[in-house]
């Protein structure tokens, strides 16, 4: 049973020429009309409540019809509420109608046309950007602001201020960009000075601990970010300062009370400089300290990507593109290549290793060989040439001949970083090898691989973050080589190149071999 009278539906049908309308059709149409009217009223009430109004108007009905994609009303756009009159047709049959005012057509025709009203619109503009007011037409100029500040306001205002408003030699205090309390200013100076204090380690530790756990540092975040950027830009030859800036950034990221999402784009460049900077510190060649700094920066880049890749979807692709560009640039020093490999692994994990590092290993090996030729042609001494040997004391591919040129000692760090990155693919080889091959692998393959990593990365110098043990000094048991192993070794050299293929084969890890050889 419908609340809407079916007779009204029948009257409308007769007005459009449909005389014979059955009762079932009239009842169905009446229920549909009732449903449509309730929809319109619900949407209109929503518009009324959102407009902070208490009276339903025709504009609310029009907005409801527009929201329901229905034809709007025409002729009911008056801002005044409608006045309804009531007429009685018979006993119990009231008729409501809209009272129309009588208008003189002659006066209406001769009246001047009203101005066309402008549609209501909203525009947005920046009041201030990082505390600085941009110079745009919507914002008041400096002169207008000064006049407003010095203008006499109210009847009881001082007449002395009125005299100042016309003076020419009035010293106006500049606008303050960001107000910090004296306590916060003192804290900032003490923390920055303590972090850069080389002689007192306990002060540095206390400052970093405060940055990690203090919940009231929100106002100082932009100052710390700017401090890190300036120190990194002007202290590329001071390894201690660079290391402390990485620790400071890490402490800020570990503070759960700080909201650093708006500063993610400003935090990345200094850390990226410590990762793939051309020259970090003034240590002699072969020193492990710069490589340790690059390792810390790579770990920090990984943390930044994990926390803020959702806020900035392009963060990971841009970092991976930058690291890959530096890794494939033959003009960059080996330290930059080392940091680029660590950065790719930290940003993209095994996916980046598989898609970006693995396909470019053979091309990168030519860079190592070309640099060895360039070093020999530059007239290095015989003693230096004797030092530039591989982990097996033989040539680059480790097959016993001496036809290939020796690699430079600093290449060992890059080779070790690449092999460590490739070892992360070892878990994928467990699903490729049969169960018997997995069980036959030696016990030392299940360890953290410190001896094998050193074997893969060491030449004559020290590999960053690993031992300087040369190949052959490991006491771990090794399997007896078979004909299949020789075939695997040849495939690895064809897949990765002679140098990297020999290093991976020397690790004696069948699961890693299977994972690498399964890559297309």
């Amino acid at each position: 049973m419908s609340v809407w009278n079916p007779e009204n539906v029948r009257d409308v049908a007769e007005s459009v020429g449909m005389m014979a309308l059955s009762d079932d059709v009239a009842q169905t149409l009446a229920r549909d009309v009732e449903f449509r009217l309730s929809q319109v009223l619900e949407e209109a009430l929503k518009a009324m409540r959102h407009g902070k109004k208490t009276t339903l108007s025709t504009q609310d009905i029009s907005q409801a019809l527009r929201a329901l994609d229905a034809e709007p009303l025409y002729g009911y756009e008056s801002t005044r509420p409608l006045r309804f009159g009531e007429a009685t047709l018979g006993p119990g049959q009231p008729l409501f109608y809209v009272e129309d005012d009588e208008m003189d057509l002659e006066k209406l025709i001769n009246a001047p046309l009203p101005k066309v009203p402008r549609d209501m619109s909203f525009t947005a503009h920046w009041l201030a950007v990082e505390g600085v007011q941009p110079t745009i037409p919507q914002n008041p100029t400096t002169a207008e602001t000064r006049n407003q500040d010095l203008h006499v306001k109210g009847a009881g205002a001082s007449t002395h201020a009125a005299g100042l408003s016309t003076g020419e030699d009035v010293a106006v205090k500049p606008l303050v960009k960001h107000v910090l309390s004296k306590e916060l200013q003192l804290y900032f100076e003490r923390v920055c000075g303590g972090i850069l204090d080389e002689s007192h380690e306990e002060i540095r530790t206390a400052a970093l601990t405060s940055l990690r756990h203090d919940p009231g540092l929100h106002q100082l975040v932009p100052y710390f970010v700017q401090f890190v950027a300036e120190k990194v830009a002007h202290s590329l030859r001071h390894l201690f300062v660079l290391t402390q800036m990485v620790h400071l950034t890490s402490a800020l990221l570990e503070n759960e009370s700080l909201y650093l999402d708006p500063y993610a784009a400003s935090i990345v460049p200094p850390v990226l400089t410590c990762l793939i900077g051309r020259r970090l510190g003034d240590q002699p060649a072969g020193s492990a300290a710069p490589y340790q700094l690059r390792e810390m920066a790579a770990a920090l880049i990984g943390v930044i990507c994990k926390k803020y890749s959702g806020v900035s979807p392009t963060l990971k692709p841009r970092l991976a593109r930058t690291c890959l560009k530096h890794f494939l640039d033959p003009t960059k020093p080996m330290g930059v290549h080392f940091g680029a490999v660590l950065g790719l692994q930290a940003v993209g994990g095994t996916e980046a290793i598989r898609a970006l590092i693995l396909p470019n290993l053979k091309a990168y090996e030519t860079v190592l060989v070309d640099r060895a030729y360039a070093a020999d042609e530059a007239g290095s001494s015989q003693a230096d040439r004797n030092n530039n040997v591989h982990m097996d004391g033989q040539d680059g591919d480790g097959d016993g001949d001496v036809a290939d040129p020796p690699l430079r000692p600093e290449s060992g760090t890059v080779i070790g970083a690449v092999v460590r990155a490739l070892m992360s693919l070892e878990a994928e080889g467990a699903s490729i090898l049969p169960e018997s091959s997995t069980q036959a692998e030696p016990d030392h393959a299940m360890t953290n691989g410190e001896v094998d990593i050193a074997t893969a990365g060491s030449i004559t110098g020290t590999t960053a973050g690993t031992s300087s043990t040369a190949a052959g000094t490991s006491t771990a048991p090794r399997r007896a080589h078979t004909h299949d192993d020789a075939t695997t070794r040849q495939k690895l050299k064809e897949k990765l190149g002679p140098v990297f293929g020999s290093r991976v084969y020397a690790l004696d890890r069948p699961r890693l071999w299977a994972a690498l050889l399964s890559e297309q």
Side-chain angles (χ1 to χ4, degrees), residues 257-274:
S257 302
L258 299 181
Y259 180 69
L260 300 178
D261 291 7
Y263 305 98
S266 302
I267 292 174
V268 170
V271 181
L272 197 61
T273 301
C274 296

Side-chain angles (χ1 to χ4, degrees), residues 44-208:
L45 289 174
K46 289 180 183 178
M48 181 192 72
R49 287 192 292 267
H50 284 297
K52 307 297 182 181
K53 296 183 295 184
T54 57
T55 304
L56 192 67
S57 64
T58 56
Q59 284 81 3
D60 300 328
I61 300 294
S62 298
Q63 291 179 4
L65 293 173
R66 190 179 298 110
L68 295 173
D69 198 17
E71 186 177 1
L73 297 176
Y74 299 101
Y76 292 96
E77 289 296 333
S78 174
T79 57
R80 294 176 300 173
L82 298 178
R83 294 180 298 172
F84 294 92
E86 181 180 358
T88 303
L89 299 179
Q93 294 184 356
L95 176 65
F96 296 93
Y97 62 94
V98 179
E99 295 183 356
D100 294 331
D101 296 334
E102 295 184 1
M103 302 184 65
D104 189 352
L105 293 179
E106 184 176 357
K107 292 182 179 180
L108 182 63
I109 294 173
N110 296 329
L113 294 176
K115 294 182 179 180
V116 178
R118 294 184 178 181
D119 293 335
M120 184 179 297
S121 61
F122 297 91
T123 59
H125 66 90
W126 290 102
L127 292 175
V129 179
E130 295 185 356
V132 180
Q133 177 179 282
T135 306
I136 56 178
Q138 290 82 357
N139 289 335
T141 62
T142 306
E144 293 176 354
T145 305
R146 185 185 300 120
N147 292 335
Q148 291 175 2
D149 292 340
L150 298 179
H151 186 67
V152 179
K153 302 178 179 67
S158 174
T159 56
H160 180 64
L164 288 177
S165 62
T166 58
E168 298 180 358
D169 299 330
V170 178
V172 180
K173 187 177 181 180
L175 297 177
V176 179
K177 296 181 181 180
H178 196 183
V179 179
L180 285 177
S181 64
K182 291 192 179 294
E183 292 79 5
L184 284 177
Q185 294 180 26
L186 183 60
Y187 176 85
F188 178 76
E189 295 175 0
R190 293 287 179 87
V191 168
C192 293
I195 289 177
L196 299 178
D197 190 353
E198 298 187 41
S199 57
H200 297 85
E201 184 178 358
E202 63 278 4
I203 297 180
R204 298 198 303 268
T205 304
L208 294 174

